[in-house]
Amino acid sequence: MDPLFLAYSYFRRRKYEQCVELCSQLLDKNPYDQAAWSLKTRALTEQVYIDEVDVDEEGIAELIMDDNSIAQVARPGTSLKVPGTGQGAPSQGVRPMSQSGRPLTGFVRPGTQSTRPGTMEQAIRTPRTAHTARPVTSASGRYVRLGTASMLSSPDGPFINLARLNMPKYSARPNLAKSLFEYIFHHENDVRNALDLASGATEACQFQDWWWKVQLGKCYYRLGMYRDAEKQFKSALKQQDMVDTYLYLCKVYVRLDQPLTAVEVYKQGLQRFIGEASLLTGIARVYEGMNDMSNTVQFYKDVLHQDNMSIEAIACIGTHYFYTDQPEIALKFYRRLLQMGVYNTELFNNLGLCCFYAQQYDMTLTCFERALSLASDDNMSDVWYNIGHVALGIGDLTLAYQSFRLALASNNDHAEAYNNLGVLEMKKGRLEMSRAFFQAAFNLAPHMYEPHYNFASMSDKVGDLQSSFNAARRASDAFSDHMDSKQLLSSLRKHFAML
Amino acid sequence: MLVPVFTLKLSHKINPRMVAIGHYDGKHPCLTCATTAGKVFIHNPHSRGTRGGRMEASMDSDLNLLNINQAVSCVTAGQMNPETKNDVLLVGTQTNVLAYDVENNSDLFYKDTPDGANAVVVGNLGSIENPVAIIGGNCSLQGYDLEGTDTYWTVTGDNVCSLCLVDFNGDNQNELVVGSEDFDIRVFREDEIISEMTETEAITSLCGMQDSRFGYALANGTVGVYDKSSRYWRIKSKNHAISIHAYDLDSDGVSELITGWSNGKIDARSDRSGEVIFKDNFAQAVAGIVEGDYRMDGTDLLICCSVDGEVRGYQPAGQEMKGNLMDTNVEQETIRELSQRKQNLLLELKNYEENQKAANMDRPSGLGELDQQQMGIIPANTQLQTTLNVNMGSESQRPHVELFIATTNETIIQAVLIFAEGIFDGESHVVHPPTATLSSSVRVPIVPPKDVPVDLHIKAFVGNKNSSQFHVFELTRQLPRFSMYSLADPKAEIPLPKSNVTLTLNERINRVVMWVNQTFLLHEDIVSEGPLNLTFLSLRGSGPLCFSMEQSGQMTIRTDDMDLAGDVIQALATFLNIEDLQSIAEFPEDMETLRQVLVKVDEFHSVRQKLTAEMADHSNLIRSLVVRAEDARLMSNMKHMRQGYMELYNLNRDLINGYKIRCNNHDELLRCLKSVNQAIQRAGRLRIGKYKTQVINSCRTAMRSNNVSLLFKIMKTGSS
């Protein structure tokens, strides 16, 4: 068989290793074989290809030294930096908040754990815990770790030596340029050279090819030149309507911290591509970022109308129902997920919780057992924590105590478990112990208001008014509408005034 | 005495001329100013307390800072969307312009403006349906609508400094008034110039007043008011006017011109006479003047800001003030004025008495010659004669126009004071010959920098040699437009210029000859029968200028200077009342220069792109280094931290070097783009009326599609 044909066949069957090997042999025989060369670049690219649209996490550096967003303090509800007061969302007391002041989401994706820390120290310290990791910058971050081969060493040097590549020559050849570009962009992760090639190529085709414009936009986006990226995407959209381009353009606006513009663009996209699920999901994500739960759920429901297999939408709606006191409905959504073949710890954990709150106690422990049997080191602690939570609910304090201990055994940074242990210890009257637990909890997770308040009320009882006052202040900083903290604070103020 | 109704201290600097007021939510006016470090702040005292949640933590003041990340060059706010009442904030920098919806924190459009953005104005222009944001850059004017599509584009003679929209000709449509660095105020009805006024300095501010009236301020400290194309009044100060604004301060129904000066003074002048009716002082230079209903009580206040962030609001004076806004007493003021006049009159009277005394002195021989001289009496028939001549210059002197002033008898001219706009530095010129060389004639060399007709107001002090009192002769002479050209000897062999413009006039040759006689400085009027053939030599050294005209009306103007050709055609068309005129232009040298410039522009663009990418890459790296170094610091790993910061330092230096290169590149690019715009403008000036507009618009289209050969064809033939 013709080796090139075979190589193509391997490529189509996604057997990239064999394809690369075959192409290398062809190229050894004839180094000027363009077809083999092009195929090899494509195969190498496919090996490490990741979807640009979804994989995107802001690095610490971008977060701290953000100078792209225009308004430093925008009106609430118009910015992702300052989440709004939460329309249609349950309060922080019911639905826990992440550190950014956003409610926990039902679906973990890059960016949902995003924190907007106040200071550099906070930013650097937070990812030090074992379970969150944030790249230093997005340029050096996940792309290097996930999506590129540039860190791998190849035995006989790189396939293409970029430094010696004659860019103008390649950019004038449309048949080679596109695959070469993807190779440089995805495989080598060398955005500057990719940009060089793309700008040459778009000029060579008289600025008529929208594809090159999108690629240019991608390069600019990676380099952090959002305004240039915006221009390229817009110009590409003028030539050719593409869902992808809309998604990229919206990413740019999200980075510029203009969520309403992003939603506007998504809606424009929806006019051209009616009911496109990825666009609807995009809108829902933006609203979720702004804490606008009623709109989020609305759009996730629209997603489900179009694509009833969307795990993200089902999970998010499920979570929403769970936290708005409708565990039975949440249970339905999670069962749907189970039907679709999602079979993991998190799902069983959630099912267990839903069953518990829906008073189907027979199923609760079975679900948690399933979850435990599937759990890995990463999420074991969460399952044990939830079991402890259920045990607290049925009044079995010993089981609860043991569960929280087990949660800490698998992850000793589990702040919630520390907090609950503290409460249990306080009940037992071991104040020193509980004090230590509370301190551990609020040092690990300063954004949680519970350990602060617990610490404050305990200190108040033992008469350490100064630390009580401080802790209560921290609690009301974390959750400004918390009544108990406010009451404690005002009574302490009165007390101090009397002195 | 009018006192401010409120005073605010904003703790931010305000850039001069970058103050605007906008109703971003449709109701509340917000003061918006550009401040240092590429930021714009919005002062919004009205929606206090409506914020909630986490915002409270950062509510240190009512200010909201916007990051622009580039030095801001102009700021304005205005309604662009006819459907809503919300104002749009427009911020221009040297490379782009941003239209921003403050209320929703979203961009409306963000456009690159390679020509820069020196001034911006929002409003309705001509018959364009929706409001446009007009951006004045280097030689170009660009208008965008709400979506950011450019609905308007034209070129102008030089860098635009100021813009305003005024209903100039009373047709209920706004015309665009443009002040530029070449001292010209041009009025555009959409893309056609309907009027052009020449001033004496760059026009730094313009503001529309009532009807067709508008105020202006120049870089040399002049402030004045125009009604249509005639000037009402002007005053000059040693300070610079930063900002002008029309506001009815004394509630008489007519707007006054409010001026903010660089020394912190604010004054309000009556629009008819320029008389000061109110003044106040800031500690620092004034940054801007706007008006808005800042207290939300239904009356528009005058709001003045100084550069260090002090804001004062003035309410229009009530009826009981009777227009008397100054704190001085009227009676006192009048008495002071009258006693001043009395003093002057007494002095004059004394002079006359002295003369009288001398005349009546009892002396048999009557009035002696000597006495007459002492008293400054000159013969009654003394006349002052002036002639304008072209002087071809000599070794020591450049060619110039010579103004020769002489008396008809042996009285001498002590001094000559010439007042003319735009010829001398500072408008006036005094010739005061040393006593030894006093004679009955004075020669004044004049070198007008531009080809414009100028009125010379001459005042000569005439008297006898040793008299202490002089007679002042006042007269006015007009310097014709093309005075810096001398008629060449028809026999002399002058090489013909390579470039020419050909046009067809439906006029007799005589009329053209008449025009030549009027606008050139000639010894004697030209009389021409049959085909016309004239050659002039430029005193500025830009080569010969030849006219030839056939009986058929075909006229050829030969000169290598495209600007001059444009000036000639414009002047000729005004004289002959031509409304539309097409011409064929042949300027091989200019075209070649333009071609080279365009090649250069391409190069600069590609270099710029590379540099920008490099810079972005570096800045990403720097950020990650900062984080790493800080990380090391938090871990108390001083060795690593030191290393990190050392790397950072080196990289930072690289970045700064790169920035300098980029700056130079950008400056070059700007210059090139400016010269392209000027070339288009020159090509436009070779045509009149609709053909001119047509040339400019089709040049624009050709530039957009990057079609150089089409561009040259349009410039040559006037159509595509």
Side-chain angles (χ1 to χ4, degrees):
Chain A
M1 211 194 301
D2 179 19
L4 187 66
F5 180 80
L6 191 61
Y8 265 111
S9 166
Y10 277 136
F11 181 76
R12 282 223 308 278
R13 284 181 285 151
R14 306 180 65 82
K15 294 183 176 174
Y16 300 121
E17 296 275 326
Q18 285 106 314
C19 175
V20 169
E21 213 168 293
L22 215 54
C23 288
S24 304
Q25 284 167 16
L26 280 173
L27 284 171
D28 278 344
K29 270 185 242 163
N30 177 13
Y32 299 105
D33 187 345
Q34 289 189 0
W37 189 83
S38 171
L39 186 61
K40 187 175 171 184
T41 52
R42 283 179 66 194
L44 284 171
T45 311
E46 284 294 326
Q47 279 180 338
V48 293
Y49 184 81
I50 45 162
D51 191 353
E52 271 299 285
V53 179
D54 266 348
V55 180
D56 177 31
E57 186 149 26
E58 281 193 282
I60 298 172
E62 275 95 13
L63 281 177
I64 295 291
M65 288 169 265
D66 175 27
D67 48 5
N68 291 305
S69 55
I70 292 182
Q72 286 183 343
V73 185
R75 202 168 58 91
T78 60
S79 159
L80 291 169
K81 270 207 274 187
V82 193
T85 42
Q87 296 151 297
S91 85
Q92 202 176 352
V94 178
R95 188 170 184 167
M97 290 276 182
S98 66
Q99 197 178 9
S100 57
R102 282 195 189 96
L104 291 181
T105 166
F107 188 79
V108 179
R109 48 171 192 269
T112 51
Q113 295 161 310
S114 88
T115 54
R116 289 271 179 185
T119 63
M120 176 84 84
E121 285 185 30
Q122 222 178 333
I124 295 172
R125 195 146 38 101
T126 325
R128 280 275 160 66
T129 54
H131 290 261
T132 53
R134 172 177 287 285
V136 172
T137 65
S138 56
S140 67
R142 193 157 291 199
Y143 299 113
V144 178
R145 279 182 283 128
L146 281 183
T148 76
S150 59
M151 303 291 262
L152 304 173
S153 59
S154 23
D156 43 352
F159 166 48
I160 298 170
N161 190 342
L162 289 184
R164 283 200 246 143
L165 212 58
N166 182 5
M167 290 289 177
K169 187 180 110 188
Y170 284 98
S171 53
R173 292 183 178 174
N175 52 344
L176 295 180
K178 287 189 179 176
S179 59
L180 179 62
F181 173 84
E182 293 211 309
Y183 175 79
I184 300 175
F185 190 79
H186 292 290
H187 189 273
E188 294 292 314
N189 198 30
D190 184 343
V191 182
R192 245 166 79 190
N193 275 320
L195 178 66
D196 231 17
L197 180 70
S199 56
T202 188
E203 225 176 282
C205 62
Q206 311 266 307
F207 306 98
Q208 294 302 314
D209 193 344
W210 63 271
W211 192 86
W212 280 117
K213 292 183 178 171
V214 175
Q215 306 311 314
L216 269 175
K218 277 160 71 175
C219 291
Y220 284 132
Y221 181 80
R222 280 268 196 103
L223 285 172
M225 297 156 69
Y226 300 117
R227 291 296 185 181
D228 299 78
E230 179 196 1
K231 206 171 70 185
Q232 294 297 338
F233 289 137
K234 275 192 169 166
S235 145
L237 276 179
K238 258 185 209 155
Q239 278 174 355
Q240 177 80 37
D241 275 319
M242 283 299 269
V243 179
D244 244 15
T245 320
Y246 280 114
L247 293 176
Y248 282 127
L249 186 58
C250 293
K251 268 175 67 176
V252 171
Y253 285 122
V254 168
R255 274 293 174 87
L256 290 174
D257 193 25
Q258 301 196 349
L260 294 185
T261 321
V263 169
E264 198 54 42
V265 173
Y266 276 127
K267 284 183 177 160
Q268 280 169 22
L270 279 174
Q271 282 171 358
R272 312 302 302 243
F273 300 96
I274 295 158
E276 169 61 40
S278 54
L279 294 172
L280 287 168
T281 315
I283 300 183
R285 285 179 186 171
V286 172
Y287 277 127
E288 196 178 28
M290 290 196 290
N291 250 5
D292 187 346
M293 280 301 149
S294 40
N295 270 322
T296 311
V297 171
Q298 183 55 47
F299 276 98
Y300 273 130
K301 281 182 179 166
D302 286 350
V303 174
L304 284 187
H305 269 294
Q306 306 295 334
D307 170 17
N308 52 16
M309 303 282 278
S310 167
I311 294 175
E312 181 179 350
I314 297 175
C316 286
I317 298 176
T319 316
H320 178 72
Y321 279 123
F322 178 77
Y323 283 117
T324 48
D325 224 5
Q326 292 165 296
E328 295 87 352
I329 302 176
L331 193 60
K332 265 181 155 176
F333 279 95
Y334 287 126
R335 272 172 54 198
R336 165 79 185 156
L337 280 179
L338 199 62
Q339 277 173 4
M340 281 164 46
V342 181
Y343 197 80
N344 57 17
T345 317
E346 286 86 355
L347 182 59
F348 278 112
N349 181 40
N350 289 351
L351 277 170
L353 282 174
C354 287
C355 287
F356 176 69
Y357 283 108
Q359 303 185 2
Q360 302 180 6
Y361 300 120
D362 49 339
M363 285 299 292
T364 311
L365 284 181
T366 337
C367 285
F368 279 120
E369 268 171 17
R370 249 332 136 70
L372 273 181
S373 65
L374 288 169
S376 64
D377 283 349
D378 282 349
N379 40 28
M380 182 76 87
S381 58
D382 288 323
V383 182
W384 277 119
Y385 169 76
N386 281 320
I387 294 176
H389 196 72
V390 170
L392 273 184
I394 56 174
D396 188 346
L397 294 190
T398 329
L399 176 60
Y401 194 84
Q402 279 166 347
S403 306
F404 292 136
R405 279 287 184 187
L406 279 168
L408 286 181
S410 44
N411 173 13
N412 56 9
D413 288 338
H414 205 282
E416 290 88 348
Y418 276 118
N419 176 49
N420 285 3
L421 273 175
V423 175
L424 287 177
E425 292 287 359
M426 199 162 77
K427 275 214 153 60
K428 287 182 186 169
R430 287 189 289 208
L431 290 183
E432 276 314 304
M433 224 16 199
S434 82
R435 188 188 179 86
F437 277 129
F438 288 141
Q439 272 171 343
F442 69 65
N443 278 331
L444 282 169
H447 62 280
M448 279 169 31
Y449 72 95
E450 293 96 340
H452 292 304
Y453 172 70
N454 289 340
F455 185 77
S457 75
M458 194 191 71
S459 306
D460 184 43
K461 270 183 198 139
V462 298
D464 184 357
L465 296 185
Q466 186 57 47
S467 27
S468 170
F469 183 73
N470 287 341
R473 272 239 303 259
R474 285 198 300 270
S476 63
D477 277 350
F479 180 18
S480 50
D481 293 336
H482 190 227
M483 263 339 272
D484 291 340
S485 307
K486 278 185 187 166
Q487 274 170 2
L488 183 59
L489 265 179
S490 69
S491 73
L492 281 173
R493 280 219 176 88
K494 259 184 219 156
H495 196 86
F496 287 149
M498 267 163 56
L499 283 177
Chain B
M1 174 65 178
L2 196 66
V3 288
V5 286
F6 69 83
T7 308
L8 293 170
K9 289 259 197 278
L10 309 174
S11 51
H12 286 270
K13 295 253 180 274
I14 299 177
N15 292 359
R17 298 197 183 92
M18 296 177 203
V19 179
I21 206 160
H23 303 71
Y24 302 117
D25 58 356
K27 288 198 288 282
H28 304 101
C30 301
L31 191 65
T32 309
C33 314
T35 178
T36 45
K39 289 192 171 58
V40 170
F41 71 77
I42 295 173
H43 180 249
N44 183 5
H46 311 293
S47 51
R48 212 180 281 168
T50 56
R51 310 170 187 185
R54 278 155 194 269
M55 290 287 285
E56 272 161 338
S58 57
M59 223 190 70
D60 52 341
S61 68
D62 307 317
L63 289 186
N64 184 1
L65 279 172
L66 307 181
N67 285 332
I68 306 296
N69 291 334
Q70 267 180 314
V72 177
S73 57
C74 53
V75 170
T76 193
Q79 269 186 35
M80 290 190 71
N81 189 350
E83 282 156 29
T84 67
K85 280 181 155 180
N86 294 8
D87 281 355
V88 172
L89 173 67
L90 284 145
V91 180
T93 70
Q94 270 317 311
T95 52
N96 45 49
V97 60
L98 167 74
Y100 179 71
D101 182 348
V102 178
E103 176 77 353
N104 288 328
N105 178 27
S106 69
D107 288 0
L108 293 168
F109 60 82
Y110 179 90
K111 289 277 172 190
D112 272 354
T113 50
D115 296 322
N118 303 333
V120 60
V121 67
V122 180
N124 286 303
L125 173 67
S127 56
I128 300 174
E129 194 182 340
N130 286 325
V132 281
I134 300 158
I135 288 122
N138 299 341
C139 300
S140 75
L141 290 165
Q142 206 152 8
Y144 296 103
D145 69 358
L146 186 67
E147 266 87 46
T149 40
D150 50 349
T151 45
Y152 175 75
W153 188 86
T154 189
V155 285
T156 172
D158 203 330
N159 294 357
V160 176
C161 309
S162 48
L163 293 171
C164 81
L165 289 166
V166 172
D167 183 8
F168 185 78
N169 49 9
D171 58 356
N172 288 328
Q173 285 182 340
N174 280 337
E175 277 76 40
L176 181 67
V177 183
V178 180
S180 54
E181 275 178 15
D182 61 353
F183 311 171
D184 271 356
I185 300 176
R186 296 182 177 83
V187 184
F188 286 85
R189 184 172 59 208
E190 292 186 27
D191 32 24
E192 179 193 348
I193 295 185
I194 52 171
S195 182
E196 218 173 326
M197 287 82 85
T198 303
E199 273 300 330
T200 54
E201 249 294 347
I203 292 94
T204 53
S205 314
L206 287 166
C207 79
M209 298 184 70
Q210 273 169 343
D211 306 324
S212 58
R213 237 172 284 157
F214 62 92
Y216 72 98
L218 304 184
N220 61 4
T222 308
V223 173
V225 168
Y226 268 99
D227 186 16
K228 294 194 180 151
S229 49
S230 60
R231 192 163 51 209
Y232 257 32
W233 56 266
R234 61 170 186 163
I235 56 109
K236 196 173 163 186
S237 158
K238 66 176 190 295
N239 299 307
H240 300 297
I242 303 285
S243 174
I244 53 175
H245 190 81
Y247 181 76
D248 183 13
L249 197 63
D250 58 359
S251 322
D252 61 352
V254 183
S255 297
E256 283 79 47
L257 184 73
I258 320 285
T259 318
W261 299 89
S262 57
N263 63 347
K265 203 170 75 181
I266 295 261
D267 55 26
R269 289 168 191 275
S270 140
D271 70 324
R272 258 150 295 175
S273 56
E275 175 197 357
V276 178
I277 61 159
F278 169 68
K279 60 184 170 198
D280 199 357
N281 270 305
F282 278 90
Q284 295 280 326
V286 175
I289 303 175
V290 286
E291 74 176 270
D293 182 10
Y294 222 60
R295 295 194 303 175
M296 302 294 294
D297 61 356
T299 45
D300 274 357
L301 305 180
L302 179 75
I303 298 166
C304 307
C305 315
S306 77
V307 288
D308 61 350
E310 190 181 349
V311 179
R312 286 188 200 162
Y314 299 93
Q315 202 170 19
Q319 285 302 320
E320 70 277 7
M321 311 258 305
K322 296 194 187 98
N324 174 25
L325 310 178
M326 313 273 269
D327 54 349
T328 46
N329 197 328
V330 189
E331 286 91 25
Q332 265 179 17
E333 189 72 3
T334 325
I335 287 175
R336 206 182 58 77
E337 207 174 290
L338 285 175
S339 57
Q340 179 86 43
R341 258 163 65 189
K342 184 180 160 199
Q343 189 73 27
N344 290 345
L345 285 172
L346 279 176
L347 214 67
E348 211 177 319
L349 189 67
K350 204 176 147 206
N351 273 340
Y352 285 124
E353 277 172 354
E354 285 284 313
N355 285 357
Q356 193 69 31
K357 223 194 276 171
N360 291 346
M361 212 173 272
D362 212 5
R363 204 182 280 182
S365 60
L367 212 55
E369 189 81 354
L370 202 69
D371 298 327
Q372 268 193 4
Q373 276 186 8
Q374 258 173 2
M375 285 179 312
I377 292 173
I378 55 170
N381 61 351
T382 309
Q383 275 182 348
L384 200 65
Q385 287 180 336
T386 57
T387 36
L388 279 166
N389 261 322
V390 177
N391 187 325
M392 287 311 283
S394 60
E395 300 260 308
S396 58
Q397 218 174 4
R398 285 193 306 142
H400 57 262
V401 178
E402 191 177 73
L403 175 68
F404 179 76
I405 307 170
T407 53
T408 43
N409 44 33
E410 62 269 30
T411 49
I412 53 139
I413 298 177
Q414 180 77 17
V416 179
L417 220 140
I418 305 170
F419 178 84
E421 278 175 31
I423 295 183
F424 310 111
D425 293 336
E427 298 188 351
S428 52
H429 185 71
V430 181
V431 182
H432 199 296
T435 336
T437 56
L438 284 178
S439 70
S440 61
S441 66
V442 168
R443 285 171 201 273
V444 186
I446 297 173
V447 184
K450 284 202 283 189
D451 289 333
V452 278
V454 182
D455 280 335
L456 300 170
H457 302 280
I458 304 166
K459 284 180 186 164
F461 289 38
V462 177
N464 292 320
K465 233 180 190 130
N466 38 13
S467 54
S468 57
Q469 288 175 351
F470 299 96
H471 290 257
V472 177
F473 282 76
E474 268 190 54
L475 52 98
T476 302
R477 231 0 246 269
Q478 205 197 32
L479 195 62
R481 185 182 282 273
F482 298 102
S483 50
M484 284 293 274
Y485 300 88
S486 69
L487 189 61
D489 191 355
K491 284 156 206 133
E493 281 292 314
I494 296 168
L496 277 184
K498 283 186 213 118
S499 319
N500 62 57
V501 190
T502 317
L503 40 119
T504 312
L505 299 172
N506 290 326
E507 288 284 353
R508 283 170 293 120
I509 290 180
N510 284 352
R511 292 265 290 163
V512 177
V513 170
M514 243 165 86
W515 172 76
V516 169
N517 287 336
Q518 255 188 36
T519 54
F520 284 84
L521 258 187
L522 301 167
H523 287 294
E524 49 207 28
D525 284 358
I526 296 166
V527 188
S528 179
E529 304 296 328
L532 180 72
N533 242 327
L534 288 172
T535 304
F536 291 91
L537 279 176
S538 163
L539 300 191
R540 295 196 186 90
S542 57
L545 165 72
C546 314
F547 295 97
S548 55
M549 189 171 176
E550 306 291 327
Q551 289 289 8
S552 61
Q554 191 175 22
M555 182 168 179
T556 311
I557 303 165
R558 290 172 196 281
T559 171
D560 281 330
D561 187 348
M562 211 164 161
D563 273 326
L564 174 60
D567 281 345
V568 168
I569 291 173
Q570 296 294 324
L572 188 60
T574 324
F575 181 80
L576 299 174
N577 272 332
I578 300 173
E579 278 182 1
D580 299 305
L581 181 68
Q582 179 64 290
S583 66
I584 308 279
E586 192 82 60
F587 286 91
E589 276 174 21
D590 286 61
M591 290 300 131
E592 189 48 43
T593 334
L594 184 61
R595 193 188 299 277
Q596 281 164 2
V597 167
L598 286 173
V599 171
K600 260 200 197 146
V601 166
D602 273 355
E603 276 170 18
F604 284 134
H605 266 305
S606 64
V607 170
R608 192 173 82 128
Q609 195 174 33
K610 244 185 207 153
L611 288 174
T612 316
E614 202 177 283
M615 212 151 155
D617 209 26
H618 271 170
S619 68
N620 274 342
L621 211 55
I622 280 191
R623 283 180 190 170
S624 72
L625 276 176
V626 170
V627 173
R628 284 205 187 120
E630 279 298 288
D631 194 15
R633 185 178 68 83
L634 287 182
M635 310 258 289
S636 311
N637 186 347
M638 290 303 154
K639 203 178 138 211
H640 265 106
M641 181 186 114
R642 195 183 142 80
Q643 204 181 332
Y645 274 118
M646 286 295 278
E647 268 180 68
L648 192 64
Y649 175 72
N650 289 333
L651 199 60
N652 202 31
R653 219 172 35 196
D654 278 3
L655 197 64
I656 290 173
N657 285 339
Y659 172 75
K660 279 179 192 150
I661 299 174
R662 224 186 100 170
C663 263
N664 288 340
N665 182 56
H666 183 74
D667 285 348
E668 284 288 304
L669 180 66
L670 270 192
R671 246 175 11 124
C672 288
L673 286 177
K674 186 178 161 186
S675 64
V676 171
N677 281 339
Q678 274 174 336
I680 295 176
Q681 152 89 359
R682 279 188 213 121
R685 281 179 68 86
L686 297 178
R687 283 98 195 173
I688 312 282
K690 67 174 191 231
Y691 294 108
K692 180 173 178 178
T693 322
Q694 187 189 330
V695 167
I696 291 176
N697 286 339
S698 23
C699 278
R700 166 75 169 164
T701 326
M703 284 289 289
R704 267 198 180 162
S705 54
N706 223 352
N707 192 340
V708 178
S709 53
L710 182 65
L711 179 70
F712 289 144
K713 192 184 157 214
I714 295 163
M715 285 192 172
K716 191 175 162 185
T717 60
S719 59
S720 44

